[in-house]
Amino acid sequence: MFPDVLTRRFSGLTPLTAVENAAIAAICQRPSAFRPREEIRAEGVSAPLMYFLLDGWAQTSIGVEDGARQILKAHVAGDLMGAPSAPFAEAVETITAVTACVVAPVAPAALAAMFESHPRLAWLFFLTAQEERVALMDRLTAGGQLGAHRNLALLLLQLHARLNPLGDRDMEIPMTQQQMGDMLGLSPVHVNRVLQDLQRDGLVRREGRRYALTDPDRLRAFVGLPLRTFAKPLPGTAGA
Amino acid sequence: MFPDVLTRRFSGLTPLTAVENAAIAAICQRPSAFRPREEIRAEGVSAPLMYFLLDGWAQTSIGVEDGARQILKAHVAGDLMGAPSAPFAEAVETITAVTACVVAPVAPAALAAMFESHPRLAWLFFLTAQEERVALMDRLTAGGQLGAHRNLALLLLQLHARLNPLGDRDMEIPMTQQQMGDMLGLSPVHVNRVLQDLQRDGLVRREGRRYALTDPDRLRAFVGLPLRTFAKPLPGTAGA
DNA sequence: CGTAAGATTGACAAGCGTCAAATACAGTGG
DNA sequence: CCACTGTATTTGACGCTTGTCAATCTTACG
């Protein structure tokens, strides 16, 4: 059960060996389940753990004093959550279940130990961390330089790429418009209006929380940022 | 020369051994110098390298089609630049010299090889990548949830923390207001107005590009986001 | 001394947030 | 099966924040 979903995490880079799969499974603690809206890990707790998301949707967010919060990432099965807090004494981000989900905790020290026995995995985790950085960089760029329309369009494209690697047009996004707003720094009211604009322009179709990108190419052109292809055969790893 | 500045990179986590210093120096290619405004590495180039910044200020940015650009990070001596592009076939970000600066290129494959011989360094680089993620997460939170005033105040606090670890109030920021705007997603005109507001409120003093935080505590309270202390003794590394 | 880049100021417009109300929708208990 | 309740979506009116445009002023530098 574990290995499958975790292997998928790195499938864009390289396939894992059976030994590597086992090494990852070995550092996972017993999985536990959470219900929708339940808090998996609160920001501020000390000695924070990391979590492999085995099933469901979750999100990480940072809260601001006045009650506002920024959602930083929507996680799907296979994601490693909470890693950004690893260098810190106290957790930086809150992890919340969006749908029902199952997570396996991982102690940072255990991951560090794995780095010693499996340097190739260490490199893969390093590359994955860089990918996450790029995702944040793109989002920052979109937030700073693009308007709400192109920003939301980018979000839909990114979710589509992750949910639908095969390229189907249809997808189910289990987020409220409020949550999308918290991701983009927009009010839920404005999210709603922008979604309607995109529909009116024929870029998106929508029924409830089912979204269809009617013309992905036009949508990409509209956004004006390249969609990264997280896919490069692993450069010079085992063979040094 | 190298080791000093690079060691400083990790000083918040743990001191490096002489062997580790040598290992890092060994993967560096011959350093080269750049003049202000010169492009060190353009986004889009294939097989991108990484660069240790040995001296000076540099910045990484992502361009948008219509000519706008988002500055993602201001780099000071000791930073590893360009790592986010490592998993990609083509460079994601443009690296530009802000002041005169000296950089040492590093091939991703060389770093991967170092991960095999020095797993503790691998873990340190992993943690550093997570710190960078948190920096982006904070900036994203500021951009999405805070207004221009608090956002700019946060930028000043962050620069102050990096430039002035000793806590002096005075610092020289070699950025134009235009560049600050490109970091925050604000127009240069608005940056100027906000800076004046902060001065009027007695939070900042400024002469040319010398900035003084007159009351750091009040400034921090004003922002409402915690300033991360990138300082935790390295958890379970060598002793596994 | 001349030129270019940056900083500053003002007037105006657009984008987005806020407030408030109305409407759909799902789950709950009678 | 139906009223009841809370949550999500939708719509409208209005105002603040921020961008745009254009001009002026300062500073650095050849």
Side-chain angles (χ1 to χ4, degrees), chain B residues 211-227:
Chain B
Y211 295 75
L213 308 185
T214 50
D215 190 346
D217 291 330
R218 195 151 66 90
L219 203 56
R220 269 187 286 272
F222 171 63
V223 169
L225 269 186
L227 270 193

Side-chain angles (χ1 to χ4, degrees), chain A residues 92-176:
Chain A
V92 165
E93 358 95 271
T94 300
I95 310 178
T96 314
V98 175
T99 67
C101 59
V102 180
V103 306
V106 177
L111 186 61
M114 194 197 74
F115 271 35
E116 303 204 4
S117 47
H118 293 274
R120 197 179 88 105
L121 282 180
W123 182 244
L124 283 177
F125 274 82
F126 179 75
L127 290 182
T128 301
Q130 303 303 342
E131 287 183 1
E132 299 286 359
R133 267 178 87 180
V134 171
L136 288 168
M137 288 161 60
D138 281 341
R139 190 138 293 294
L140 200 52
T141 303
Q145 309 303 136
L146 278 37
H149 289 77
R150 298 205 281 169
N151 203 346
L152 184 48
L154 176 64
L155 176 62
L156 292 176
L157 282 170
Q158 289 178 335
L159 289 175
H160 181 256
R162 286 212 298 166
L163 292 174
N164 245 336
L166 301 178
D168 284 352
R169 293 201 179 133
D170 229 41
M171 58 180 167
E172 172 96 19
I173 302 180
M175 278 196 286
T176 68

Side-chain angles (χ1 to χ4, degrees), chain B residues 33-57:
Chain B
F34 292 85
R35 283 165 306 175
R37 319 181 105 248
E38 203 172 352
E39 206 168 65
I40 298 173
R41 200 275 304 279
E43 60 194 294
V45 304
S46 47
L49 295 176
M50 308 183 296
Y51 302 86
F52 272 117
L53 180 56
L54 301 180
D55 191 38
W57 270 58

